[in-house]
Amino acid sequence: MSQVTIVEVAPRDGFQSVKEFIPTETKIKIVEALAATGVPRMEIGSFVSPKAIPQMADTAEVLKRARLPATLRTHVLVPNRKGLELAKAAGVKEVCWVLSVSESHNQSNVRRSVDQSFADFEEAWKEQGEGLKLRFALATSFDCPFEGRTPEARVIACVERVLKIVDELEISIADTTGRAAPNHVRGLFSTLVRNYGSDKVQFSFHGHDTYNLGVANAIAAYEAGVRIIDGAAAGLGGCPFAPGATGNTATEDLVFAFEHMGISTGIDFAKLLEAADMVQAVAPSQAGGRVRTVSRQRALAGFGENTRGLPPEVAACA
Ligand code: COA
Ligand code: ZN
């Protein structure tokens, strides 16, 4: 059976979008419930300035106290050297370093030019990166809330730039605003995977569902060869420094879509729906996603049934 790796990002992108502080205890319970769904990877918090995002101030505490299965791969987001140092001090083995392809979003998000962010990364990674796994996230790879559509050449230039610094990593291509269309996603990933993808360089897709294109975009990425896709349970999420951006594509919608296409996620769908309800409870008015609006019995009964009895080449649908 074909497979896709879902990365659950509600405990970072989801939580960071919530203004009112979510008690650490609640965060831990949700992280544990999400882990119990069998999701293979999770982004748990970030080490960023607590003045920029107060919600993330307890990341070290969440990491320390959450009881997680040994099989779960986790990472945290960092925007600078200090974040990298704090992550290492917290015992983290994998980080996601973020910068934006567009100048104005990078300024808004991390108060640096893209050049400065690359220089910061190069210096910090050479000194501190040893032994760490790297996911390098390129925010606003499709669209910038201030500049509009991002030229593909700018994304490619950023990919080439990071590959000059690190030769083994995952590059997360992010649709920060959710404005990408499936042909845009398919086109950019086809180029990136063909020209830069290898055993050492993998691409992943981080999408938002602002315009209801999140699932279609994830499928387009898959069809272009991407096998690592981010989602946030209950569709929570959004960069506080990207005006108009709402939640990530809901993990449960992605899981339903992929399993329905005969592409395995390894996730227990019933448990995921329960965990997504817990995520929704922290910020009901900000939650989204479609699958949880269907009666639970119907969603579970029809889960993946489209693939039963189909010939493998149809079921794989790659
Ligand atoms: N973790 C914790 N604290 C940090 C930090 C980090 N990674 N980086 C900086 N700080 C602290 C500094 O120690 C300093 O504290 P002080 O005022 O008590 O001395 C303060 O934050 C300001 O530091 P400075 O280096 O001047 O940063 P800045 O004000 O220019 O802000 C960032 C730059 C990158 C730290 C900030 O914009 C940020 O955290 N952005 C992250 C945004 C984000 O998470 N977006 C969503 C995810 S894409
Ligand atoms: Zn995001």
Side-chain angles (χ1 to χ4, degrees):
M1 197 177 185
S2 305
Q3 288 182 338
V4 65
T5 297
I6 299 287
V7 183
E8 174 58 59
V9 301
R12 196 278 300 173
D13 211 342
F15 290 169
Q16 79 176 16
S17 70
V18 180
K19 275 234 156 60
E20 199 176 317
F21 192 76
I22 304 164
T24 306
E25 214 51 57
T26 308
K27 287 184 178 123
I28 293 169
K29 280 205 179 102
I30 291 174
V31 164
E32 290 176 349
L34 289 166
T37 67
V39 72
R41 293 179 56 183
M42 202 184 305
E43 184 168 77
I44 304 179
S46 58
F47 287 99
V48 300
S49 163
K51 284 178 198 144
I53 308 209
Q55 187 65 263
M56 295 285 101
D58 59 353
T59 292
E61 189 70 12
V62 174
L63 290 170
K64 193 165 138 200
R65 289 175 42 208
R67 282 156 303 173
L68 302 174
T71 48
L72 178 71
R73 234 177 104 182
T74 63
H75 68 262
V76 298
L77 181 135
V78 301
N80 59 7
R81 170 196 283 263
K82 177 153 187 183
L84 190 59
E85 287 169 356
L86 290 172
K88 283 179 74 168
V92 163
K93 300 278 179 285
E94 185 167 352
V95 298
C96 172
W97 183 292
V98 65
L99 64 78
S100 307
V101 176
S102 73
E103 284 294 343
S104 32
H105 186 261
N106 205 57
Q107 283 290 353
S108 164
N109 199 38
V110 296
R111 305 203 221 170
R112 299 277 182 283
S113 68
V114 177
D115 276 351
Q116 281 172 318
S117 279
F118 265 109
D120 287 352
F121 170 69
E122 181 162 14
E123 196 187 290
W125 194 255
K126 284 193 171 144
E127 285 173 25
Q128 302 278 334
E130 190 151 352
L132 287 179
K133 253 191 191 324
L134 176 65
R135 164 186 259 218
F136 192 83
L138 289 174
T140 62
S141 278
F142 298 93
D143 173 82
C144 166
F146 313 107
E147 296 174 27
R149 186 177 169 119
T150 305
E152 282 198 9
R154 298 261 298 273
V155 183
I156 290 167
C158 286
V159 166
E160 292 190 346
R161 217 161 160 179
V162 68
L163 289 176
K164 284 208 179 101
I165 304 168
V166 190
D167 61 1
E168 186 162 358
L169 79 170
E170 176 189 322
I171 303 178
S172 167
I173 300 293
D175 179 20
T176 306
T177 59
R179 285 180 71 87
N183 60 343
H184 189 175
V185 173
R186 191 178 290 106
L188 180 59
F189 276 119
S190 298
T191 304
L192 294 177
V193 171
R194 186 177 58 243
N195 294 336
Y196 305 98
S198 69
D199 288 351
K200 288 174 144 191
V201 180
Q202 292 179 306
F203 287 93
S204 53
F205 177 58
H206 175 94
H208 284 256
D209 202 21
T210 321
Y211 298 89
N212 209 18
L213 290 171
V215 171
N217 285 339
I219 292 169
Y222 182 89
E223 287 173 347
V226 175
R227 293 293 177 271
I228 307 166
I229 308 266
D230 289 3
L236 205 62
C239 174
F241 303 101
T246 62
N248 284 92
T249 310
T251 311
E252 59 276 17
D253 289 3
L254 291 169
V255 169
F256 187 89
F258 280 117
E259 296 279 351
H260 212 59
M261 292 168 71
I263 300 163
S264 171
T265 62
I267 292 174
D268 182 320
F269 189 56
K271 285 188 182 163
L272 173 60
L273 293 174
E274 282 169 25
D277 289 343
M278 290 169 72
V279 175
Q280 156 148 343
V282 302
S285 64
Q286 286 176 243
R290 295 293 304 170
V291 167
R292 284 176 321 112
T293 66
V294 176
S295 96
R296 194 68 37 118
Q297 202 187 3
R298 197 178 285 273
L300 287 168
F303 182 65
E305 87 181 356
N306 206 27
T307 58
R308 269 180 226 142
L310 290 181
E313 65 277 15
V314 180
C317 199

